[in-house]
Amino acid sequence: MGANDGIISIAGVVFGVYGASMNTWTIFLAGLTATVAGTFSMATGEYVSVNSQLDSERSAKDEQRIALVNNFSQEAQFLIQHYQTDGISEENARLLAQQSMQKDALGETLHARYGINEDDFISPAEAAIASMMAFPLGAILPMVGMIFVPMTYRVVITLIFVIFALVLTGYFSAVYGNTPKKTMILRNVLMGLLTMSVTYLIGLLMAA
């Protein structure tokens, strides 16, 4: 999604500047500035967001640890009920809960109550670095199209670059999120085209 943000954001910037001024150097400076700002904005935003999520997960873990100390049998009963809601018979649910509580009571009840896996706690630093790398990667195609393509074909080629990139990010987002691919791709492309159209029209109005 960081790459997708880079594509749409920078495409919007370069088309907006192009609408106001066709000067290649101006477009380059605006695109580069927006890329740097967007990169750090995505990274710091992701770092803060993931830290907040991590704090919530740690708090839930602490609460669950206390609950196991004070009400172990109640937590075991909750686990039995949780297994039964998944379609396991009461007898098998009791056996499974007994084994789970003996093996890893905290991990099993934490997952059952909050959907949290102890081994999957997100690293804020890794999330920030991933966003910092993804955003400028997404910015490359609209920047290349608007800066290096001859003026005659600049808009058409940049549009092709951007649509191609949005199709790719929409496809992989759908695969990762297990959602309908056509819907995600169409939504992604339409939002990108809308962004470019609006910023281009604003650029034209500013140049008028």
Side-chain angles (χ1 to χ4, degrees), residues 5-207:
D5 287 342
I7 296 164
I8 295 177
S9 298
I10 304 308
V13 169
V14 295
F15 267 92
V17 176
Y18 180 82
S21 169
M22 295 184 183
N23 183 275
T24 301
W25 180 245
T26 302
I27 296 171
F28 171 74
L29 286 179
L32 180 62
T33 302
T35 299
V36 173
T39 297
F40 282 93
S41 174
M42 283 290 296
T44 55
E46 193 73 10
Y47 184 81
V48 170
S49 175
V50 173
N51 256 313
S52 297
Q53 181 178 341
L54 190 59
D55 289 341
S56 297
E57 291 175 346
R58 285 171 175 165
S59 177
K61 184 177 180 180
D62 291 339
E63 289 179 7
Q64 194 58 32
R65 187 181 286 111
I66 294 171
L68 285 168
V69 172
N70 296 332
N71 300 291
F72 190 88
S73 60
Q74 183 176 331
E75 292 302 310
Q77 186 61 38
F78 173 82
L79 202 57
I80 293 170
Q81 294 173 353
H82 174 75
Y83 290 147
Q84 285 184 276
T85 58
D86 289 338
I88 300 175
S89 67
E90 182 178 354
E91 182 180 355
N92 289 334
R94 287 185 181 279
L95 290 172
L96 182 57
Q98 183 180 6
Q99 294 172 358
S100 299
M101 294 297 279
Q102 289 175 351
K103 182 180 179 181
D104 183 12
L106 178 60
E108 290 294 332
T109 54
L110 189 65
H111 178 70
R113 283 195 178 277
Y114 303 102
I116 296 173
N117 292 317
E118 285 187 278
D119 296 332
D120 293 338
F121 279 10
I122 303 172
S123 167
E126 289 179 3
I129 291 170
S131 292
M132 184 174 282
M133 294 173 62
F135 190 92
L137 283 175
I140 289 174
L141 284 179
M143 287 281 287
V144 167
M146 274 295 180
I147 294 166
F148 295 105
V149 175
M151 185 70 71
T152 305
Y153 310 104
R154 181 169 290 179
V155 172
V156 174
I157 296 299
T158 304
L159 275 173
I160 292 172
F161 282 173
V162 170
I163 291 172
F164 173 73
L166 291 174
V167 168
L168 285 180
T169 55
Y171 174 82
F172 286 113
S173 295
V175 171
Y176 180 76
N178 195 28
T179 56
K181 297 179 181 64
K182 289 183 179 180
T183 302
M184 180 63 77
I185 291 171
L186 182 61
R187 184 187 301 141
N188 215 31
V189 171
L190 287 176
M191 290 302 99
L193 291 175
L194 177 63
T195 300
M196 289 183 288
S197 299
V198 170
T199 55
Y200 179 68
L201 287 174
I202 291 173
L204 287 177
L205 290 173
M206 296 298 291

